Amino acid sequence: MPANTTAPPGSSDAKKTGRKKGRRARLFVIVLVLALVAGVGYGAYWSVSTVRASHPQTTGSIDLKGLSGDVDVRRDDYGIPQIYADTDSDLFRAQGYVQAQDRFWEMDVRRHMTSGRLSEMFGAGQVETDSFLRTLGWHKVAQKEYDEVLDEDTRKNLQAYAEGVNAYLDGKDGKDLSVEYAALGLTNDYKPAEWTPVDSVAWLKAMAWDLRGNMQDEIDRSLMTSRLSEKQIEALYPDYPYEKNKPIVEQGGVSPVTGKYDPQAEPSGESGSQTVEGATEGLNAQLSALSDTLDEIPALLGPNGNGIGSNSWVVSGEYTTTGKPLLANDPHLAPQLPSLWYQMGLHCRQLSETCRYDTAGYTFSGLPGVIIGHNQDIAWGFTNLGADVTDLFLEKVSADGYLYDGRTEPFITREETIKVAGGKSRTITVRETNNGPLVSDRSDELEKVGKKAPVGTSAPDRGDGYGVSLKWTALEAGKSMDAVFELNRAKDFESFRKAAADFEVPSQNMIYADTEGNIGYQAPGRIPVRKQGDGTTPSPGWSPKYGWEEESIPFDELPYEYNPKRGYIVTANQAVIGDDYEHMLTEDWGYGARSQRINDLIQKKIDGGEKISTDDMQTMQMDNQSAIAAKLVPELKKINISDKYVREAQKLLEGWDFTQEPDSAAAAYFNGVWRNILKLAFGDKLPKEMRAKGDCVYVEPVAGTGPVDEQDKLVRECGQRAPEAAQPDGGDRWYEVVESILDDQDNEWWKVPAKGREAAVDSRDELFARAMEDARWELTAELGKDITTWSWGRLHQLTLRNQTLGTEGPDLLQRALNRGPWDLGGGEAAVNATGWNAAGGYEVIWVPSMRMVVNVGDWDKSRWINLTGASGHAFSAHYTDQTDKWVDGELLDWSFGEDAVKESTVDTLTLRKP
């Protein structure tokens, strides 16, 4: 029986330009063969059977070594598997086998990334990336976790999973695993190695890296010192607006009696923020070398940690049509093909001491268990908490070691050999200080970082410059893998919190609901306590006054909520708790535009006496309203525009309701104006290290910036940063920056000096007028002169790219592996967060990577969708079969109970004990 789909009430159909229907699969296989022959070639002849060789068997039976009994794998018509077994080990062994069937290429690339071994697959071009990743030592830490920290049951589950993966690999050549191996085999003799349990554990390090918090902000603040004053930099990082955007937890604090967090306690009134005394004032522009290195690291979850967000919320049964809680979650991550997520159910036929799992949801390929979803008793979701868990330290280094507390301490060193496909191996030396690995060793430019950095008067002589080390909680062995299995087995809020206590990195907001009607929230994570400083700029590594305390913030003192009186909990990367909370979690929250919109939508229903339904939750996920448009459009409409063509565009804003539908011309024009306001007021004043590549401006010279134009005494500087990571990115931090000066017509940020034929801008309204003119001509170039043909979706497009050969392979191969574009609605900091970077362009760079609405207790009425599909095989019908529905805001019915699963099953594979 085909799975049903449900569209959100009132949603509009998005215009789609790149759909690949199942009926065209046969043609696609032929195109792929031609692409492989033409693009990779060397005269090889590839048959359709070669391309189809890796198609997984999904019916009949297969003998699987190591099973204690038969396992059933039931797939619905979207290829989503539900696994039924009689023991834990059989369940996870089958999970490894099935995920390898669908996604092994993806799994293999990820493990090479986490271990710093991409050069083994893709050659010398990946050596620099591998060198940086080896310096961080993710795989080394994962090995220590597996050997010394994780519970025995966790290790058994990881081992069973690895055995399942290896059973699938046994006897198969590369072409039998995926078409990418077949393409790779024409230039490389690479053969996949066996999967290990540590390969799975290391994946959590990659997840933690992309969710690491404010590291880029720390770099950016330092880079700004070359162009901006301390006061100007502070203005670009305003305080969190608690008065208008509610934090997740609205009351509570650490009890002076128990020493534990109490949701009802009064906070101490003493902020956890720590002052900076005598710390470095910042790094010079050479710190951009570190930023450039970070840009090269594969961002599995988002554009290098910037802009990554998520929505989750839970509503008590008191306010729902079902009488039980409803829980929604949609993590905002980088668009990938295949999707980061893999939907799956893991079911023990009979729950017992030897078979303890009955859970379903979103998994990561390469990792056993379910990451986000529900079991028979509870449901849970994640959003990024954004805790500041990384710090950069300046280090005074010499051939003998590094300076600390007046003494030269020896480095901890290790040798790393990087094997290179088609070339000679490279050997690097990794040096570590007491603050962590010396990341400045990884390039010639990084060796000079700190050469001109302004520091306090007590700083040691800089000599040839300071090194830079990285301190990061994920570089310490932890128990996050234990937490995954504990969460899958949790029965109530107490066991949920116990699992959360082990979820050390990455630090996530965790929401909760159970079949008894309870809802809750927990902030977990290993979050450091700083001796001094607030982590917003690099610290002096030579001073014992800085660094971290031995113990992190105790879990018992971290905020949580259980059945709050308001009847709902919203987490969307806003501040966790008020600024009078006893500990410092971060100084760089998301600014709460999305979270407050969700709060308002829920509260409006409650105030109107309406019950919230599953449909309502789904509709909220697709909410497109722009908070900054609501603030700026009334002012933009007042501007006196004389140019008839610009006035024609201005009229689009009249009567616009600030929603960003894909067919909206007003949304297209407003976002063009917003992009140009940011460029004129802020972007052109930022250092080149933060602006997008190709963005060139004339600025007043500073020492060493290049040749000066004698006529205007200006120097031409071009941006150096990847467009998706450039500033100003247009997120809700910039909403606050602009709103704080909106009523000040003569604020210095609104002033733009005359340049060439362009007259000076001396006020807010003059800058707005210039931005409206620039946007009119920019959109004319992009969309045509006739504004009746404009639409936001034509500007704001999503292209799904295969993360390896789909970005680096020959053009024809990329066209065969990639999909799109699709025209999207939504936007930056909207609830439907189809993110784009205002400094870099309008292309969609992060998305709701999946969406789910869980109907707690009546599990079979839950709904879910993935960005792409279950399969990583480009020729599979399930490669992107969920994408069109995802674009339209539709969700699939989510079967969980055995009867519902049987009804939706179209293919059954039995894995047999030999």
Side-chain angles (χ1 to χ4, degrees), residues 141-151 154-156 158-159 197-198 201 477-478:
V141 179
Q143 185 73 59
K144 184 175 182 180
E145 288 181 358
Y146 182 75
D147 291 342
E148 302 177 16
V149 179
L150 296 178
D151 289 345
T154 298
R155 292 198 299 272
K156 287 179 179 178
L158 288 163
Q159 185 61 46
V198 178
V201 179

Side-chain angles (χ1 to χ4, degrees), residues 69-81:
D70 291 353
V71 177
D72 291 326
V73 182
R74 299 171 182 165
R75 294 178 183 259
D76 65 12
D77 55 357
Y78 286 88
I80 299 170

Side-chain angles (χ1 to χ4, degrees), residues 70-76 82-86 345-351 357-360 374 376 858-861 894-906 908:
D70 291 353
V71 177
D72 291 326
V73 182
R74 299 171 182 165
R75 294 178 183 259
D76 65 12
Q82 305 278 345
I83 299 176
Y84 289 84
D86 294 318
L346 301 172
H347 307 278
C348 288
R349 295 190 181 99
Q350 183 72 41
L351 290 173
Y357 297 88
D358 187 14
T359 184
H374 70 83
Q376 71 276 25
D858 198 352
W859 305 114
D860 294 328
K861 292 185 178 177
W894 178 354
S895 299
F896 178 73
E898 188 170 8
D899 289 343
V901 169
K902 284 181 178 178
E903 189 176 0
S904 62
T905 295
V906 296
T908 300

Side-chain angles (χ1 to χ4, degrees), residues 207-218 221 248 274 305-306 308-309 383-392 470-474 503-510 521-530 534-536 548 552-554 558-559 572-577 581 583-590:
M207 181 180 173
W209 175 252
D210 280 350
L211 300 174
R212 64 192 178 271
N214 75 336
M215 186 173 173
Q216 191 65 56
D217 287 323
E218 189 174 342
R221 284 187 181 93
I248 298 170
Q274 296 143 312
N306 286 332
I308 293 179
T383 62
N384 194 25
L385 191 150
D388 185 358
V389 296
T390 59
D391 277 345
L392 296 174
L470 170 65
K471 197 171 185 69
W472 178 33
T473 56
F503 208 99
E504 296 167 328
V505 292
S507 184
Q508 297 287 285
N509 296 307
M510 299 176 65
Y521 162 83
Q522 177 68 56
R526 181 185 293 161
I527 303 173
V529 177
R530 292 169 177 82
D534 59 8
T536 59
W548 296 352
S552 302
I553 299 173
L558 291 171
N573 317 113
Q574 78 271 41
V576 168
I577 193 168
Y581 173 60
H583 298 291
M584 193 199 80
L585 302 178
T586 185
E587 292 293 329
D588 290 302
W589 302 112

Side-chain angles (χ1 to χ4, degrees), residues 615-648:
D615 286 345
D616 292 329
M617 301 282 277
Q618 188 174 340
T619 300
M620 290 177 193
Q621 288 181 325
M622 295 298 293
D623 184 84
N624 285 331
Q625 188 177 77
S626 168
I628 192 61
K631 294 288 184 181
L632 292 186
V633 166
E635 304 303 325
L636 295 172
K637 291 192 297 186
K638 297 174 187 176
I639 304 295
N640 185 22
I641 300 294
S642 57
D643 186 307
K644 67 177 183 179
Y645 290 106
V646 180
R647 172 63 184 145
E648 182 183 36

Side-chain angles (χ1 to χ4, degrees), residues 678-815:
L678 292 172
K679 175 177 170 57
L680 290 167
F682 309 104
D684 290 352
K685 299 164 188 174
L686 295 177
K688 61 182 180 295
E689 294 87 358
M690 295 177 64
R691 298 199 315 273
K693 290 177 182 176
D695 176 14
C696 300
V697 297
Y698 283 92
V699 297
E700 294 181 3
V702 295
T705 54
V708 177
D709 184 309
E710 288 299 325
Q711 180 178 352
D712 295 321
K713 301 298 182 184
L714 299 177
V715 61
R716 187 172 186 261
E717 284 188 350
C718 294
Q720 298 179 349
R721 187 169 287 182
E724 66 272 12
Q727 291 292 339
D729 60 19
D732 59 1
R733 171 164 68 89
W734 294 99
Y735 292 9
E736 294 303 315
V737 171
V738 169
E739 191 173 342
S740 69
I741 62 173
L742 189 59
D743 295 331
D744 182 1
Q745 276 278 355
D746 300 319
N747 190 280
E748 286 300 311
W749 288 112
W750 301 131
K751 300 182 187 302
V752 179
K755 295 175 185 176
R757 296 180 180 179
E758 292 186 348
V761 171
D762 294 316
S763 69
R764 184 200 74 180
D765 283 356
E766 287 184 19
L767 187 140
F768 281 8
R770 174 78 61 81
M772 293 171 76
E773 178 182 359
D774 291 351
R776 173 42 158 137
W777 301 121
E778 181 186 2
L779 266 65
T780 296
E782 293 280 346
L783 302 176
K785 186 176 181 181
D786 183 359
I787 65 171
T788 65
T789 67
W790 288 5
S791 71
W792 175 225
R794 285 179 59 204
L795 273 181
H796 188 55
Q797 292 187 326
L798 167 69
T799 299
L800 294 173
R801 295 180 176 88
N802 180 290
Q803 290 299 290
T804 51
L805 301 181
T807 58
E808 300 295 334
D811 182 62
L812 282 174
L813 185 57
Q814 289 189 42
R815 277 185 260 163

Side-chain angles (χ1 to χ4, degrees), residues 864-884:
W864 61 353
I865 198 76
N866 205 351
L867 173 64
T868 60
S871 180
H873 298 287
F875 53 87
S876 168
H878 303 307
Y879 191 46
T880 56
D881 58 340
Q882 297 185 48
T883 306
D884 288 346

Side-chain angles (χ1 to χ4, degrees), residues 378 486 490-501 512 514 518 522 555 562:
I378 75 165
E486 290 173 318
K491 301 290 185 184
D492 51 29
F493 194 59
E494 181 181 358
S495 51
F496 169 80
R497 291 193 71 216
K498 183 178 182 299
Y512 167 93
D514 65 35
N518 302 300
Q522 177 68 56
F555 177 77
Y562 188 56

